[in-house]
Amino acid sequence: MNRPVSLPAESMASFEADALPANPLHVFWHLGASSAWSLSPQGWLRPDAAFFALIFRRPELALVPESCAAEIALHKVLSKEALAPVGSAELAAIEDEDARANFEMFLAFREALLAAGSLEGYYLTVLRSARIQVPPLFLDALVATVLGYLQRDSEDAFQVRAAQLLYREQRVSLSEGRALCADLEALDSRQQFAHSAAGLLDVLSPENASDFWRQGESALYALDLTHELNKELAHGLSFKLIRSHSGLKALSQVLTQWLGHFLQGPDKEVLTIEPLPQVDDSAWRWHIGLDAESMSLLNDLYEGKAVDSERLGRLLSLFRLHAPARSDKPIYLGLAMRPDGSLRLKPQNLLLNLPTDWVLRG
């Protein structure tokens, strides 16, 4: 989608009150709010007007000073009712090709999702297609909404912050033995973008968790993805301090929820994912990279290829996925940042790269 411009404040105010839900967690899902959780018979989320209204608030569909009368009129209609029918003549009347294409993509997505009947069902259909042609913006909105539902009763700020990693790009900073990740788009929007998240942001902790909740979507806290901290003592002694509030643990819990929501059968009831600093398993049989970098890295390690220290140093964590009802052999997961320090977790990898005997719903 084109034209990444800011939505005028007066345009947003006209429908903001109607579009936003009462659930206070909506502020953490950016695109993922829904006015009410309407579920299909299989317990999946039905698309509703509030979901599409939030997507329509995106800058790509905002009016600009050059917008023609036809674009302004259609924007007004869809801002008031995101499910309003739109005729081909109304689209053809939009003079700007990019604007017209953006409206067409939004409407095609809207109709396909309504036809699918559930967000999860549509998401899986898209992932299983030979070629994904849906804009990443829309897929992120689906992921954010499902996570918002899964976290609807959460009182754990660490899990809520960790869930954002599944649909928002992050920047990782390695500083003093700690791996801190910060939301990349939020950093950009505040004009605080830098190669280091440390020093720009507070790190989420039990002490500032109440501030995180209070600030809502504007909350900008780094999440600590460090396995453990080294505590130096006198006389050259040291010990490892196990962190009781770990971003990796919170991410593991979110990934467990995410996978369990899509699994069919008893596995989701006993599914566990836990972070590991290393894997020492001579019977290592299956692995999944949670991003492109870690998938390539794990493939090379599994095949016994040489991996240089710089590349290995970008591996943030390994995880152990275990479902005792299915197999006594675990699946290992990996999470790695890119060479520029960015991190783009792909939650679809966890759904598409399971062994063939793992069955997803839908």
Side-chain angles (χ1 to χ4, degrees):
M1 300 184 73
N2 304 305
R3 302 204 311 173
V5 295
S6 299
L7 181 65
E10 59 270 21
S11 299
M12 183 183 297
S14 64
F15 59 92
E16 184 178 49
D18 294 331
L20 295 181
N23 184 347
L25 274 182
H26 80 267
V27 294
F28 293 100
W29 307 120
H30 194 61
L31 281 172
S34 181
S35 58
W37 302 119
S38 176
L39 302 181
S40 70
Q42 66 182 142
W44 280 358
L45 295 169
R46 298 181 189 273
D48 62 10
F51 173 81
F52 294 112
L54 282 169
I55 293 180
F56 196 70
R57 289 172 58 184
R58 287 292 299 179
E60 293 83 355
L61 291 165
L63 297 175
V64 296
E66 297 78 18
S67 294
C68 67
E71 182 183 351
I72 293 172
L74 181 55
H75 192 280
K76 183 177 180 179
V77 169
L78 291 174
S79 294
K80 185 176 181 180
E81 177 48 66
L83 293 178
V86 178
S88 57
E90 294 173 88
L91 286 172
I94 297 177
E95 297 173 2
D96 184 83
E97 292 183 7
D98 288 339
R100 190 186 319 119
N102 287 348
F103 276 95
E104 288 172 346
M105 281 189 284
F106 170 76
L107 293 171
F109 170 69
R110 187 186 72 173
E111 299 313 309
L113 182 51
L114 290 172
S118 72
L119 274 63
E120 295 92 333
Y122 174 78
Y123 182 70
L124 288 178
T125 298
V126 171
L127 296 186
R128 289 163 174 163
S129 61
R131 183 181 178 188
I132 297 178
Q133 297 179 305
V134 179
L137 165 69
F138 295 156
L139 295 182
D140 287 343
L142 297 172
V143 173
T145 304
V146 173
L147 288 168
Y149 172 69
L150 295 177
Q151 289 283 316
R152 64 194 181 280
D153 298 321
S154 177
E155 297 180 357
D156 188 326
F158 292 87
Q159 283 192 37
V160 171
R161 175 65 183 92
Q164 293 176 325
L165 273 64
L166 276 66
Y167 64 96
R168 291 177 68 86
E169 190 169 358
Q170 307 290 309
R171 175 167 294 283
V172 179
S173 171
L174 303 178
S175 176
E176 299 180 352
R178 301 175 75 185
L180 307 178
C181 78
D183 186 278
L184 188 57
E185 184 179 335
L187 285 172
D188 270 339
S189 68
R190 291 190 178 193
Q191 297 182 338
Q192 291 180 328
F193 179 85
H195 287 288
S196 172
L200 289 178
L201 310 174
D202 290 329
V203 179
L204 186 62
S205 68
E207 290 71 30
N208 60 28
S210 59
D211 295 329
F212 173 84
W213 287 115
R214 184 164 50 250
Q215 292 173 29
E217 188 177 316
S218 65
L220 187 54
Y221 288 84
L223 186 67
D224 196 335
L225 299 180
T226 311
H227 276 278
E228 52 194 15
L229 300 175
N230 289 322
K231 181 71 173 179
E232 299 296 332
L233 302 176
H235 309 294
L237 299 176
S238 66
F239 70 93
K240 292 187 180 299
L241 179 65
I242 304 300
R243 302 178 64 250
S244 58
H245 294 278
S246 165
L248 288 173
K249 180 181 179 182
L251 179 59
S252 298
Q253 293 166 332
V254 170
L255 292 171
T256 301
Q257 284 184 323
W258 170 257
L259 179 55
H261 185 65
F262 285 92
L263 276 181
Q264 178 175 305
D267 294 328
K268 62 182 180 179
E269 304 299 332
V270 293
L271 183 72
T272 61
I273 298 177
E274 58 181 345
L276 298 173
Q278 63 184 25
V279 172
D280 184 14
D281 184 352
S282 59
W284 176 355
R285 293 187 179 180
W286 202 276
H287 60 266
I288 299 172
L290 296 172
D291 56 274
E293 291 290 327
S294 64
M295 193 65 177
S296 174
L297 176 61
L298 291 179
N299 284 343
D300 287 349
L301 291 174
Y302 185 78
E303 295 171 6
K305 296 180 180 179
V307 177
D308 62 60
S309 58
E310 187 279 332
R311 187 181 174 203
L312 193 58
R314 289 190 266 114
L315 184 64
L316 298 171
S317 185
L318 296 161
F319 301 85
R320 180 178 182 268
L321 163 60
H322 193 206
R326 178 170 297 279
S327 172
D328 60 350
K329 299 296 182 182
I331 297 172
Y332 295 105
L333 315 177
L335 182 69
M337 60 182 177
R338 299 176 180 134
D340 65 357
S342 61
L343 170 64
R344 190 56 164 108
L345 195 152
K346 296 184 176 181
Q348 65 268 32
N349 284 13
L350 193 53
L351 304 179
L352 296 179
N353 296 311
L354 292 166
T356 55
D357 58 335
W358 289 58
V359 181
L360 300 180
R361 300 160 64 191

